[in-house]
């Protein structure tokens, strides 16, 4: 195993803290929500695109839809790769430069249009949306738009827009969400004109076919170099780069994800993005909007699940009635329809907020990714259950015996990864929790610091008392207790009043948790996860209500139907919220922590007797790797000719 930087838990946390964006220069709806303040003025009236942006997007989406109708998803699933001709067609439509400004050869469309495009192509096959989103959301275009120099943008963005596929390389065989242990290095050359890159990167989505790479590597600190994790744009055909294998997964069978080795790869200093030591900050800033690609794909999948559930449940007859008319199935259809509406509402609201740039959406984007990835998986699982044996059967098998080729099991497999990549559910809970308690840490951070001295804690106590003396009384009463408030929302007003009351209860619960556990709160991950999940549900309820009201103003008939879906969703969501509030204080966290610890210590190994483990002896848990030249065949390939 390559030498990993030895870091303590405190040091790892410090690296993560340094990378996050400190301060709040713009308002945040979700941040206020966690503080018990329901700022409807930040989301209502629902933001909209300009007529010009909407018109340009509609023309593009019409052409894209016409092209997507010519594609055969069975080919991708059967051959486990996207045909070059499909990629060529997408490139000719401008799909690799949807958000790239027109001055650099892109389409210059909005985040909202980009989300709609991902939903559309993802409905053909999930891998298509992953190809485009890995390229544009976290690949070269987004980091350069945020932190690139004018020269870098002029050099690389036109190529990206033409179809030069890009990839983002951060993860390593033994480094996932803990970048403090990053082992890849970028050592400045003696002539000062470049860096020499060495290391191995794992799970490089698009890495097998990429022409351009964003690589995160550690620059050693020295007298002339700030050092730290740094972002580089790297030409994928540079000498010393080897794609050692293409990985295979349970879903996304067309994804070009690999293991990439760097050995003495020369990268010009002009290819540093944002400066030395700024790599992690750039990565997090990129994900603030880049994460919206995941909920867009999730919303598209949920809409497809609704269509299949509706059509199948009306066609399939059991015991004299369509199965959809039996309550056991109708409950599932209601959940799918209401959740699909809420998912699209969250995506639409978040996309518009990103386009407007009026709000800080770091929490909203993270909540959208977290909540959408979890809920869409539930939706797909319910569809599979409604389809029964046909849901478990592959589309190819269904077609072979003459039935409609519905890939329900494929959607379940494909959606599963969304709860893992671009921040696993567990990591997202921690990241969002950190942002949600930011105001508390600013006011009383040293009170919860086990290493702070008495004098520091005394100063912190004075500061905290001033903050809480003003803040806590605001959580006692609010607009949600007045029956006439939000009446412009008609029957949805009751749900908005609930959100307002629940936001104040959420803030009080967070304060109680801090008072109870103080410095130990950060280890109460079950508590923090439930706090985050409650906020996610309240955000989704808010998004659904303001969108339904917008639709009612635009079209009375559609608006009435939207109100029905928003009402159903809010009723379902409120049950989940109440269960989460109850579980804040009534749970099995302490027991679970003890049992888990004892299991890790081997106390229950007797329970594992009577089975065989076929994986034993097949290899180490984490593959051994060393810096150096590759000794395997380079499996890199290209969809399109080089844009150099």
């Amino acid at each position: 195993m390559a030498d990993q930087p030895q870091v303590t838990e405190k040091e790892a946390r410090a690296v993560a803290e340094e990378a996050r964006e400190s301060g709040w220069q713009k308002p945040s709806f979700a941040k206020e929500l966690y503080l018990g303040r329901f700022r409807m003025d930040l989301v209502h009236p629902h933001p909209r695109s300009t007529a010009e942006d909407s018109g340009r997007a509609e023309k593009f989406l019409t052409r894209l839809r016409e092209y997507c109708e010519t594609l055969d998803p069975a080919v991708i699933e059967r051959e486990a790769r996207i045909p070059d001709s499909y990629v060529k067609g997408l490139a000719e439509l401008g799909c690799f430069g949807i958000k790239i400004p027109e001055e650099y050869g892109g389409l210059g469309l909005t985040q909202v249009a980009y989300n709609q495009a991902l939903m559309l192509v993802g409905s053909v096959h999930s891998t298509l949306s992953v190809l485009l989103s890995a390229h544009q959301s976290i690949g070269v275009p987004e980091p350069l738009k945020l932190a690139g120099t004018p020269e870098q943008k002029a050099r690389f963005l036109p190529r990206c827009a033409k179809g030069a596929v890009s990839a983002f390389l951060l993860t390593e065989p033994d480094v996932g969400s803990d970048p403090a242990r990053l082992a890849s290095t970028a050592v400045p050359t003696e002539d000062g004109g470049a860096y020499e890159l060495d290391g191995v990167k794992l799970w490089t989505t698009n890495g097998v076919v990429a022409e351009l790479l964003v690589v995160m590597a550690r620059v050693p600190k020295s007298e002339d170099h700030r050092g730290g994790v740094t972002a580089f744009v790297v030409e994928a055909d540079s000498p010393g780069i080897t794609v050692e294998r293409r990985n295979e997964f349970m879903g996304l069978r067309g994804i070009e994800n690999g293991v990439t080795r760097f050995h003495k790869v020369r990268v010009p200093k002009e290819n540093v993005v944002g400066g030395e030591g700024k790599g992690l900050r750039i990565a997090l800033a990129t994900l603030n909007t880049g994460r919206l690609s995941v909920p867009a794909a999730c919303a598209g999948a949920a809409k497809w699940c609704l269509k299949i559930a509706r059509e199948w449940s009306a066609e399939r007859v059991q015991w004299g009635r369509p199965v959809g008319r039996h309550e056991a199935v109708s409950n599932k259809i209601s959940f799918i329809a209401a959740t699909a509406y809420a998912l699209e509402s969250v995506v639409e609201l978040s996309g518009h907020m990103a386009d407007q740039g009026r709000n800080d959406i770091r929490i909203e984007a993270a909540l959208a990714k977290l909540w959408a990835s979890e809920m869409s998986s539930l939706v797909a699982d319910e569809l599979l259950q409604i389809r029964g044996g046909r849901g478990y059967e592959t589309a190819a098998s269904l077609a072979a015996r003459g039935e409609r080729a519905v890939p329900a099991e494929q959607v379940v497999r494909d959606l599963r990864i969304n709860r893992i990549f671009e921040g696993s559910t567990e990591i997202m809970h921690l990241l969002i929790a950190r942002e949600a308690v930011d105001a508390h840490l600013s006011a009383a951070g040293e009170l919860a610091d086990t290493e702070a001295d008495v004098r520091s804690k005394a100063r912190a106590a004075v500061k905290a008392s001033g903050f809480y003396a003003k803040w806590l009384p605001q959580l006692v009463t609010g607009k949600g207790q007045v029956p006439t408030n939000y009446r412009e929302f008609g029957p949805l007003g009751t749900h908005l009043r609930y959100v307002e009351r629940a936001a104040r209860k959420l803030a009080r619960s967070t304060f109680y948790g801090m008072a109870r556990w103080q410095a130990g709160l950060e280890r109460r991950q079950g508590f923090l996860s439930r706090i985050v999940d409650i906020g996610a549900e309240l955000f989704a309820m808010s998004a659904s209500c303001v969108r339904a009201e917008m639709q009612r103003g635009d079209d009375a008939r559609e608006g009435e139907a939207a109100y029905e879906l928003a009402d159903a969703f809010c009723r379902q969501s409120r049950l989940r919220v109440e269960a989460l509030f109850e579980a804040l204080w009534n749970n099995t966290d302490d027991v679970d922590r003890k049992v888990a610890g004892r299991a890790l210590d081997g106390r229950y190994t007797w329970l594992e007797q009577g089975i065989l483990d076929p994986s034993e002896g097949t290899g180490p848990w984490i593959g051994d790797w060393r810096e150096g030249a590759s000794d395997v065949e380079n499996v890199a390939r290209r969809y399109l000719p080089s844009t150099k």
Side-chain angles (χ1 to χ4, degrees):
M1 182 70 67
D3 292 335
Q4 300 284 338
Q6 299 301 310
V7 295
T8 65
E9 182 178 356
K10 181 179 179 180
E11 289 170 336
R13 223 186 328 264
V15 169
E17 185 65 20
E18 183 182 357
R20 67 177 286 271
E21 184 179 351
S22 60
W24 297 83
Q25 306 305 317
K26 299 178 182 178
S28 165
F29 175 78
K31 175 177 176 286
E32 293 293 306
L33 202 62
Y34 282 110
L35 285 171
R37 299 191 281 256
F38 186 37
R39 291 284 305 277
M40 277 290 286
D41 60 299
L42 296 179
V43 295
H44 177 69
H46 194 291
R48 298 173 182 266
S49 298
T50 65
E52 180 183 359
D53 284 340
S54 296
R56 293 174 61 236
E58 188 59 38
K59 289 181 181 178
F60 165 68
L61 292 169
T62 298
R63 295 195 305 272
L64 179 59
R65 184 182 189 89
E66 291 171 350
Y67 177 66
C68 286
E69 288 172 346
T70 70
L71 306 181
D72 183 1
V75 173
I76 301 175
E77 193 68 11
R78 181 176 63 250
E79 298 181 1
R81 64 178 48 193
I82 303 171
D84 293 359
S85 60
Y86 289 13
V87 179
K88 183 174 183 293
L90 292 171
E92 290 173 347
L93 285 170
C95 292
F96 287 89
I98 296 175
K99 293 198 300 175
I100 293 177
E102 291 180 281
E103 63 184 292
Y104 298 114
L107 299 181
L109 298 181
T110 62
Q111 179 72 38
V112 171
Y114 175 63
N115 291 343
Q116 292 170 335
L118 292 180
M119 283 196 285
L120 182 56
V121 299
S123 66
V124 177
H125 196 283
S126 302
T127 301
L128 294 174
S129 62
V130 172
L131 166 68
L132 296 179
S133 64
H135 164 72
Q136 292 177 85
S137 296
I138 58 175
V140 170
E142 193 67 23
L144 285 193
K145 284 171 60 183
L146 290 172
T149 65
E151 293 76 18
Q152 288 173 335
K153 294 176 182 178
R155 282 173 59 203
F156 296 117
L157 290 184
R159 292 172 59 187
C160 292
K162 289 178 182 177
V165 177
S166 65
F168 176 78
L169 281 62
L170 172 63
T171 303
E172 298 176 356
D174 198 29
V175 178
S177 300
D178 183 9
R181 301 176 65 248
L182 206 69
S184 294
T185 59
V187 179
T189 59
E190 290 186 7
D191 61 14
Y195 295 79
E196 196 171 78
L197 185 60
D198 285 276
V200 173
K201 295 293 185 179
L202 177 63
W203 296 325
T204 59
T205 302
N206 286 355
V208 178
V209 295
E211 183 177 323
L212 294 169
L213 312 171
V214 176
V215 182
M216 296 291 171
R218 185 181 302 280
V219 175
K221 187 176 182 180
S222 66
E223 184 178 339
D224 299 323
H225 291 272
R226 179 180 188 270
V229 178
T230 303
F232 299 86
V233 176
V234 182
E235 297 280 356
D237 61 358
S238 299
I241 297 181
T242 306
V243 179
E244 296 191 330
R245 65 168 285 105
R246 181 188 176 207
N247 302 317
E248 299 176 13
F249 303 98
M250 66 178 281
L252 296 179
R253 288 183 176 166
I255 193 173
E256 298 283 352
N257 178 298
V259 178
T260 304
R261 177 179 292 273
F262 300 86
H263 175 58
K264 297 187 183 303
V265 178
R266 184 181 175 88
V267 182
K269 66 178 183 180
E270 292 78 17
N271 287 26
V272 171
V273 182
E276 283 187 9
K278 301 296 181 64
L280 294 180
R281 184 179 289 269
I282 291 170
L284 289 180
T286 296
L287 287 172
N288 280 343
T289 54
R291 283 197 176 103
L292 294 180
S293 63
V294 172
C298 291
K303 288 158 71 76
W304 178 85
C305 288
L306 173 60
K307 181 177 185 295
I308 298 300
R310 173 181 59 81
E311 294 177 352
W312 166 252
S313 298
E315 179 72 19
R316 175 67 162 166
V317 175
Q318 293 283 274
W319 299 293
R321 287 193 295 169
V323 295
R325 301 294 178 182
H326 293 284
E327 190 170 286
V329 175
S330 67
N331 288 347
K332 298 180 187 300
I333 296 173
S334 174
F335 169 74
I336 291 173
T339 306
Y341 180 79
L343 283 165
E344 189 170 42
S345 299
V346 166
V347 172
E348 190 169 334
L349 178 60
S350 301
H352 280 296
M353 293 169 77
D355 287 331
Q356 285 189 339
R358 183 167 61 98
N359 294 350
D360 186 324
I361 66 162
R362 74 180 89 160
I363 300 182
E364 286 84 349
L367 285 175
K369 190 275 176 187
L370 166 68
W371 188 78
S373 61
E374 291 289 331
M375 296 303 291
S376 61
S377 288
L378 294 177
V379 165
D381 190 69
E382 292 287 42
L383 171 65
L384 191 151
Q385 188 69 20
I386 290 172
R387 287 276 291 163
R390 288 174 173 84
Y392 195 67
E393 190 173 2
T394 67
S397 178
L398 290 165
R401 58 187 183 82
E403 291 197 3
R404 182 166 168 175
V406 178
E409 59 83 29
Q410 179 198 326
V411 170
V412 171
R413 289 188 287 105
D414 288 352
L415 283 173
R416 186 59 183 83
I417 188 59
N418 292 322
R419 294 162 62 191
I420 299 173
F421 70 6
E422 291 194 33
S424 69
T425 290
E426 293 72 25
I427 293 299
M428 295 306 299
H429 275 137
L430 298 181
L431 290 176
I432 297 168
R434 170 62 185 87
E435 300 295 353
V437 301
D438 186 53
H440 299 281
L441 293 179
S442 297
E446 287 188 296
L447 283 176
D449 187 350
T450 56
E451 298 185 9
D453 57 32
V454 175
R455 181 174 296 180
S456 296
K457 289 199 173 190
R459 286 197 303 266
V462 173
K463 182 179 179 182
S465 63
F467 171 77
Y468 290 117
K470 181 179 180 181
W471 177 68
L472 284 172
Q474 298 174 358
L475 305 181
V476 178
T477 61
K479 295 180 67 175
Q481 293 171 285
V482 180
T484 56
N485 281 330
Y486 309 113
R487 58 184 173 185
E488 67 270 27
F489 286 86
L492 297 183
T494 184
H495 300 308
L496 292 175
R497 290 191 291 274
Y498 174 84
V499 172
E500 195 278 336
R501 296 194 304 273
R504 286 186 284 110
K505 183 178 180 180
L506 179 62
R508 293 195 302 269
S509 299
T510 304
F511 173 74
Y512 298 153
M514 292 192 67
R516 178 175 178 178
W517 292 301
Q518 299 180 39
L521 178 62
E522 66 181 28
R523 296 190 181 277
R524 295 283 173 169
Q525 294 177 3
F527 177 86
L528 292 174
S529 294
R530 296 179 191 105
I531 289 289
V532 169
D533 287 340
I534 292 170
E537 293 284 354
L538 299 182
F539 177 47
M541 290 172 66
S542 304
S544 299
C545 290
V546 297
R547 181 186 177 209
E549 175 59 19
M550 177 183 67
Q551 289 176 284
R552 186 173 70 162
D554 292 344
D555 183 302
R557 183 180 178 86
E558 181 179 291
E560 182 181 359
Y563 256 61
E564 294 167 0
L565 290 171
D567 176 63
F569 170 74
C570 289
R571 290 173 184 270
Q572 296 167 10
S573 180
R574 287 171 67 164
L575 293 177
R576 293 192 291 269
V577 169
E578 289 304 308
L580 286 165
F581 270 127
E582 171 65 20
L584 284 176
W585 313 109
N586 184 13
N587 55 65
T588 61
D589 288 353
D590 290 339
V591 171
D592 296 339
R593 191 161 44 250
K594 292 175 183 177
V595 170
R598 291 164 183 167
L600 292 172
D601 292 337
R603 181 177 176 83
Y604 310 126
T605 53
W606 52 267
L607 186 58
E608 300 164 11
Q609 295 174 8
I611 55 95
L612 292 174
D613 178 6
S615 72
E616 265 191 23
T618 59
W621 290 106
I622 298 171
D624 183 42
W625 66 276
R626 300 280 177 183
E627 290 185 358
S630 181
D631 58 0
V632 301
E633 178 187 0
N634 188 354
V635 299
R637 66 185 191 88
R638 300 288 180 269
Y639 287 125
L640 306 171
S642 174
T643 61
K644 271 190 178 180

